[in-house]
Structure formats: structure tokens, C-alpha cells
Amino acid sequence: VQLQASGGGLVQAGGSLRLSCAASGRIFSVNGMGWYRQAPGKQRELVARVSSGGSTVYADSVKGRFTIARDNAKITVYLQMTSLKPEDTAVYYCNVEERRLGGGYLNHWGQGTLVTVSS
């Protein structure tokens, strides 16, 4: 299974970006999908996550500004980011949690896409 993330780049504060992450390969069943980020010198943190049923969870720092969505047919997860702030600068990683045929779960990660917000 491979995850291909795209959409990162350089944007001014107050601007918007849309990240996409498409999964390819053999996946039995997809459970949760999400986005995490890691800023320089900091630990990776959850940005947003969407369950198989559509329930969403957001980090407090992005609530009201970011929106996560998924397309189950395309096995793709999106992150619409608005009102971006310099503190949103980080490498963003997508995550897909696979529900395995024999039971249990397996996490897949994308390669990361850099988002830089200038002040």
C-alpha cells in the first residue's frame, strides 16, 4: 500500500491550501484516515482525523480553520486549510488505518508534504 500526498507549498498568512492523499495497492478495508504534522524540533501531532463513519476530530489549534474529508471510493483523504498561520508551518503526513482481513489494524503513512506559511 502506498500513500501519495500532494498540495503542500508556500503560502502567506491568511491564505489557503488543500492537501490530498490517495492510497493505492491492495487494502482490505479502510478504517480511520487522518492528517498529522511535524514542525521542526517538535513531535508529530494529530491535525485531524475522520472515521469510517464520518466522525471527525480536530486539534484545538485548527478547529474552525481546517476541514477534513474522505472519498471512500477513491481511498483519498483531503485537508482543506484556511486562515493559515505561520505556526501551521510543518511537514504534513497522511495516515490510513487499514482493517486487516485476519483481524487487527495496520497503519500506513504518506511521505509527507511541506506546508510553509509566511508572515
Side-chain angles (χ1 to χ4, degrees):
V1 175
Q2 290 188 328
L3 303 186
Q4 182 66 47
S6 62
L10 173 64
V11 64
Q12 288 187 331
S16 300
L17 282 175
R18 185 185 190 225
L19 305 183
S20 300
C21 177
S24 60
R26 297 175 64 89
I27 299 180
F28 173 66
S29 177
V30 177
N31 194 33
M33 305 176 80
W35 289 92
Y36 293 72
R37 67 186 181 187
Q38 186 166 18
K42 295 186 177 181
Q43 290 188 329
R44 189 175 298 189
E45 63 176 1
L46 172 70
V47 177
R49 191 161 185 83
V50 55
S51 72
S52 57
S55 298
T56 56
V57 174
Y58 294 93
D60 288 342
S61 59
V62 307
K63 283 181 181 177
R65 300 188 297 121
F66 291 10
T67 303
I68 190 170
R70 62 189 281 170
D71 184 328
N72 292 326
K74 296 180 179 180
I75 316 180
T76 299
V77 61
Y78 305 95
L79 185 68
Q80 179 67 48
M81 306 185 293
T82 64
S83 301
L84 282 160
K85 304 175 181 180
E87 50 263 43
D88 294 318
T89 296
V91 177
Y92 284 70
Y93 298 91
C94 57
N95 169 266
V96 170
E97 184 181 50
E98 177 186 6
R99 185 182 300 113
R100 307 194 73 180
L101 176 61
Y105 297 90
L106 181 65
N107 273 298
H108 303 285
W109 293 91
Q111 82 283 9
T113 184
L114 177 63
V115 172
T116 303
V117 184
S118 63
S119 58

